Amino acid sequence: MSMTSSDIPSLDLAELEVLQLRQQITDHNYRYYVLDKPEIPDSEYDKLFIRLKSLESEYPQLITEDSPTQRVGGTPLKAFGQVRHELPMLSLDNAFDEEDQADFNRRVKERLDTTEDIEYACEPKLDGIAVSLLYENGLLVRAATRGDGTTGEDITQNIRTIESIPLRLIGDDWPRRLEVRGEVYMPKAGFEQLNQRARAREEKVFVNPRNAAAGSLRQLDSRITAKRPLTIYCYSAGIVDGRGLPDKHSEILACFRKWGLRVSPELRVVKGVQACEDYYQAMAEKRESLPYEIDGIVYKVNSIAQQKALGFVARAPRWAIARKFPAQEAITTLKDVEFQVGRTGAITPVARLQPVFVGGVTVSNATLHNMDEIERLDIKIGDSVVILRAGDVIPKVDRVIHSMRPDDVRDIKFPDRCPVCDSELEREEAIMRCSGGLFCSAQRKEAIKHFASRKAMDIDGLGDKLVEQLVDRKLIETVADLFSLSALEVSGLERMGKKSAENLINALDQSRKTTLSRFIYSLGIREVGEATAQGLAVHYRDLNKLMTASVEDLQTVDDVGPIVAGHIEKFFRQEHNCEVIDALLAKGVAWETESPVVEEGDQPLAGETWVLTGTLNVMTRDEGKAILQKLGAKVTGSVSAKTSALLAGEKAGSKLAKAEKLGVRIVTEDDFMQMRQEWGV
């Protein structure tokens, strides 16, 4: 961003403004990364950063190593230098169960010759890369990997690109020379985005966030590291010169936080081994909801004096231990492969495994996805395979150990006909699909589950297990039969008492009144999601018009291309689908006609493309989207040069920043409410 002559201050004024901007940016980084309480929108932060960069461009003599602008990366290295740790970076001993934890606590108390409960600092064990950060006079001067604990690699240039790591510490009460140790990691969301970009470029994807973080830190070109979504949590001090630190580990981390260093918000101080166990169980339950990967809990004796008294053994301290979570990977044998039929007829191969304990549960089945995945894995029945399970995620076969392949393995053969209804199978790229439609009982079950789901007909109390029973006992064959059920019939099912049965019948009655868009979505037409269903409802406003529309006519609806149009037309041309729809209408399923809020041809937003972002207070995002579509606007999920306007609620982030950069019109919720009044919406 260049400045006009009127924007260019004198050198003295520029120097003063640069110092002020750096302080502001540092303060905002502290609020964002350390306190997790951002004070200003990203767009305002970007303005500060751009102004600083412009001033430094005009006066290069004002650039310093600790300037926030110096994080972009430098000239690629030919090799990493070596760093010898002044204090070794030791590993931790492991505990694998409650008994190991109790033994550790007993040894600590015996060595300290005390019967009092020990105070421990507890925090999650991040699955990342251990690093050492050296600050001199508050300025980051060197960063290194753990390496073998004695010698690591100099990764200073790469570490400087990570925005959550301060280039200069906040305040002035830090030691003159301070070594901070922490774990660099890649958040789950950033890892997924990184792999999505790699797949789009047909590049190799990373196996897990830890590998991604390690690969990012070991780039010889720091400009690549700068583009990777890395961050850090700091967990201990190494070398300290010039000023002492507090006498408790938890208080040292509190100082770190005050100085602008990120520490885990999950840090807790507890007393006694039972409190340690309680913390472990609480974090095990919370594990999957965390935005980063952890593989256990680290317990440290909180008193520094007690740490010094306990000392070290071999390559590990006696005052700390890592309690590991159950393994999320395990090796087992593929015993057989069965084939399941989904709602749209897709045939999914399911691995039947020798039961194995992984991720805290016993796993007997895992998905193999499709034919392409089987070919990619080069998997055969009888192979030894690695099963991956993270929390509640469906277990999957991650890889085959080909070196353990026995001589009697068998190829996996896809069936020629549907394993449930014996209909012919049709191949669509990597997917085999049953052609039986609702004639196939497996598809019927999945279709009914979809019909009852929250975003479709929203039938409260009609869960998957109940649907299975209703179909298996031949109480229903199609979704229309749901509305003929009686409380007496339902009360005879497993886990369904009289009250539950009555509640279900009441929920069915209430669901008869719906909207056209929900009804279209509930039908389960292939590739017709919520947004497409809404678009179809707004465009046609009449079910009969939609059911008789041609492929060509359907493509006049926003976001409906030839493939989706073909699926829609084919669905409504099948006689049994029309019979089910007629039966639903006869059972009282109905909706109000979705008329436009303004006359066709006079829609104020016709031809415009809008994007929604942030939190809306007066309405939900879905309601805002529906209003925009009725007013003629096309609503998309990403900002581009073609975007007409951005409706921005509170805490709007990157989309708002991009819209401002592209000069897209920004509409606040208050502005939008005023516009609605003018249009009479």
Side-chain angles (χ1 to χ4, degrees):
M1 173 177 163
S2 60
M3 296 185 291
T4 64
S5 57
S6 61
D7 291 328
I8 302 174
S10 65
L11 176 59
D12 289 344
L13 290 176
E15 185 173 14
L16 180 61
E17 187 179 355
V18 162
L19 291 174
Q20 291 173 339
L21 286 167
R22 286 178 187 161
Q23 185 60 53
Q24 285 179 284
I25 290 171
T26 298
D27 289 345
H28 288 307
N29 279 342
Y30 177 67
R31 289 178 178 277
Y32 186 90
Y33 292 110
V34 180
L35 301 182
D36 197 24
K37 293 180 179 178
E39 188 175 52
I40 62 174
D42 291 350
S43 57
E44 293 302 314
Y45 177 92
D46 291 341
K47 288 176 183 177
L48 296 175
F49 192 90
I50 291 169
R51 176 64 178 175
L52 174 60
K53 198 170 181 180
S54 297
L55 288 171
E56 290 181 345
S57 177
E58 292 293 334
Y59 297 107
Q61 62 268 45
L62 297 180
I63 299 174
T64 59
E65 284 189 4
D66 62 326
S67 173
T69 63
Q70 302 304 299
R71 291 187 182 274
V72 293
T75 305
L77 303 172
K78 292 183 178 179
F80 291 112
Q82 299 293 299
V83 173
R84 187 171 183 82
H85 300 300
E86 296 176 56
L87 277 180
M89 292 185 71
L90 302 176
S91 56
L92 298 178
D93 283 338
N94 291 321
F96 294 99
D97 53 32
E98 194 172 353
E99 185 178 348
D100 289 346
Q101 179 84 42
D103 285 344
F104 166 74
N105 181 68
R106 176 184 51 76
R107 292 193 301 270
V108 167
K109 294 174 72 171
E110 286 176 354
R111 290 192 175 101
L112 293 175
D113 192 22
T114 182
T115 57
E116 299 290 325
D117 282 340
I118 303 297
E119 188 175 76
Y120 291 102
C122 319
E123 60 185 306
K125 183 177 181 296
L126 287 164
D127 196 11
I129 308 300
V131 298
S132 161
L133 311 175
L134 182 61
Y135 288 88
E136 293 183 350
N137 297 316
L139 186 68
L140 177 65
V141 297
R142 192 188 69 202
T145 61
R146 178 183 176 277
D148 62 3
T150 302
T151 304
E153 292 179 318
D154 188 333
I155 55 169
T156 308
Q157 196 162 284
N158 288 346
I159 283 292
R160 288 175 58 84
T161 70
I162 301 175
E163 292 186 359
S164 58
I165 297 178
L167 301 177
R168 179 181 290 276
L169 298 177
I170 294 173
D172 59 5
D173 58 342
W174 19 258
R176 178 183 58 79
R177 196 161 181 264
L178 172 66
E179 181 194 1
V180 176
R181 292 175 175 180
E183 196 89 357
V184 170
Y185 66 94
M186 186 174 290
K188 294 174 183 176
F191 170 71
E192 291 300 328
Q193 291 168 4
L194 182 66
N195 272 351
Q196 283 176 10
R197 291 196 295 270
R199 282 189 283 267
R201 294 192 295 264
E202 297 185 351
E203 296 173 352
K204 184 178 179 181
V205 298
F206 288 99
V207 175
N208 54 50
R210 187 184 189 282
N211 285 358
S216 300
L217 273 187
R218 298 200 72 259
Q219 292 290 330
L220 292 173
D221 187 346
S222 58
R223 291 169 298 185
I224 296 175
T225 307
K227 297 176 182 177
R228 301 285 174 84
L230 299 174
T231 188
I232 191 172
Y233 276 139
C234 301
Y235 55 70
S236 70
I239 292 294
V240 179
D241 290 330
R243 178 176 292 189
L245 293 176
D247 58 7
K248 288 193 174 183
H249 175 76
S250 57
E251 293 173 0
I252 292 173
L253 295 189
C255 286
F256 281 6
R257 196 166 188 260
K258 182 178 67 172
W259 296 332
L261 296 158
R262 294 185 84 223
V263 299
S264 174
E266 305 298 336
L267 174 70
R268 300 289 184 272
V269 176
V270 304
K271 262 196 169 185
V273 69
Q274 183 55 51
C276 288
E277 177 64 21
D278 293 343
Y279 179 85
Y280 174 88
Q281 295 298 338
M283 289 307 302
E285 290 182 14
K286 192 175 183 179
R287 181 183 186 186
E288 292 308 316
S289 65
L290 294 173
Y292 44 82
E293 297 283 0
I294 64 173
D295 57 7
I297 302 298
V298 175
Y299 300 97
K300 296 174 183 174
V301 172
N302 199 31
S303 164
I304 301 301
Q306 289 182 333
Q307 286 186 11
K308 290 178 179 177
L310 288 164
F312 303 84
V313 57
R315 298 173 61 82
R318 288 194 177 103
W319 41 265
I321 197 165
R323 170 86 179 272
K324 303 298 286 289
F325 287 131
Q328 292 187 294
E329 288 188 342
I331 297 175
T332 189
T333 304
L334 176 63
K335 307 295 287 184
D336 202 356
V337 174
E338 295 179 4
F339 297 89
Q340 294 183 345
V341 185
R343 175 175 62 85
T344 63
I347 309 296
T348 302
V350 177
R352 301 304 184 198
L353 308 164
Q354 182 69 37
V356 61
F357 192 74
V358 55
V361 300
T362 299
V363 173
S364 303
N365 309 311
T367 180
L368 286 169
H369 298 293
N370 54 41
M371 295 175 68
D372 282 359
E373 179 69 359
I374 288 173
E375 292 174 6
R376 186 189 71 79
L377 289 169
D378 183 22
I379 186 172
K380 299 178 185 293
I381 295 170
D383 270 333
S384 292
V385 296
V386 175
I387 302 302
L388 176 64
R389 182 185 184 274
D392 295 329
V393 175
I394 298 171
K396 73 168 187 174
V397 177
D398 189 60
R399 58 192 181 275
V400 176
I401 305 178
H402 291 105
S403 61
M404 296 174 64
R405 174 169 283 173
D407 295 333
D408 59 348
V409 293
R410 307 192 318 273
D411 290 338
I412 299 171
K413 293 183 178 180
F414 258 71
D416 297 323
R417 304 183 72 83
C418 174
V420 175
C421 70
D422 200 39
S423 296
E424 291 184 6
L425 299 185
E426 301 170 345
R427 177 158 187 170
E428 297 177 4
E429 297 179 350
I431 298 173
M432 296 296 288
R433 200 177 299 275
C434 169
S435 62
L438 293 180
F439 171 74
C440 177
S441 64
Q443 291 185 62
R444 281 205 304 274
K445 288 179 181 178
E446 296 306 315
I448 294 166
K449 292 173 187 177
H450 174 79
F451 181 84
S453 63
R454 184 176 61 84
K455 293 180 179 180
M457 298 297 285
D458 192 20
I459 305 173
D460 190 34
L462 187 57
D464 291 357
K465 296 292 185 185
L466 185 54
V467 171
E468 299 273 351
Q469 290 188 72
L470 290 170
V471 174
D472 289 343
R473 297 199 184 188
K474 298 188 176 1
L475 292 175
I476 60 172
E477 289 191 1
T478 73
V479 292
D481 295 333
L482 289 167
F483 298 98
S484 298
L485 289 170
S486 68
L488 182 61
E489 287 176 310
V490 176
S491 64
L493 299 176
E494 185 181 339
R495 296 185 181 178
M496 288 296 290
K498 181 181 178 182
K499 185 64 176 175
S500 297
E502 290 174 351
N503 288 341
L504 176 62
I505 299 304
N506 288 334
L508 283 163
D509 285 339
Q510 291 174 12
S511 73
R512 293 177 204 262
K513 186 177 181 181
T514 185
T515 65
L516 179 56
S517 57
R518 276 180 173 269
F519 183 76
I520 294 169
Y521 176 66
S522 75
L523 296 175
I525 304 169
R526 282 184 57 196
E527 298 192 40
V528 175
E530 292 174 81
T532 303
Q534 177 69 39
L536 292 168
V538 170
H539 184 86
Y540 288 104
R541 305 196 306 279
D542 180 88
L543 182 61
N544 287 327
K545 289 181 180 178
L546 171 61
M547 292 177 67
T548 55
S550 66
V551 169
E552 292 73 20
D553 185 51
L554 286 162
Q555 289 180 68
T556 64
V557 181
D558 283 342
D559 295 327
V560 175
I563 294 176
V564 176
H567 292 325
I568 296 169
E569 187 197 45
K570 183 178 179 181
F571 181 90
F572 288 121
R573 295 295 178 272
Q574 293 184 22
E575 188 176 342
H576 59 266
N577 289 336
C578 294
E579 289 173 354
V580 170
I581 292 171
D582 288 342
L584 284 168
L585 300 178
K587 296 287 175 62
V589 175
W591 51 87
E592 293 182 4
T593 302
E594 301 204 14
S595 56
V597 292
V598 291
E599 291 299 320
E600 262 185 73
D602 191 32
Q603 292 178 307
L605 302 183
E608 293 190 10
T609 300
W610 283 56
V611 175
L612 291 86
T613 188
T615 303
L616 301 177
N617 295 316
V618 179
M619 57 189 164
T620 66
R621 291 262 291 271
D622 284 343
E623 288 169 343
K625 181 177 179 180
I627 292 167
L628 285 167
Q629 288 174 327
K630 287 184 177 181
L631 291 168
K634 176 181 178 180
V635 182
T636 64
S638 58
V639 175
S640 71
K642 295 181 180 179
T643 303
S644 308
L646 177 79
L647 175 52
E650 294 180 0
K651 298 181 180 178
S654 58
K655 290 180 183 178
L656 177 59
K658 187 172 182 180
E660 290 176 332
K661 185 177 180 181
L662 293 173
V664 172
R665 180 163 60 106
I666 310 299
V667 178
T668 67
E669 186 173 12
D670 288 342
D671 294 337
F672 189 62
M673 296 306 293
Q674 181 63 40
M675 293 162 70
R676 288 182 63 185
Q677 279 189 339
E678 293 172 3
W679 294 324
V681 182

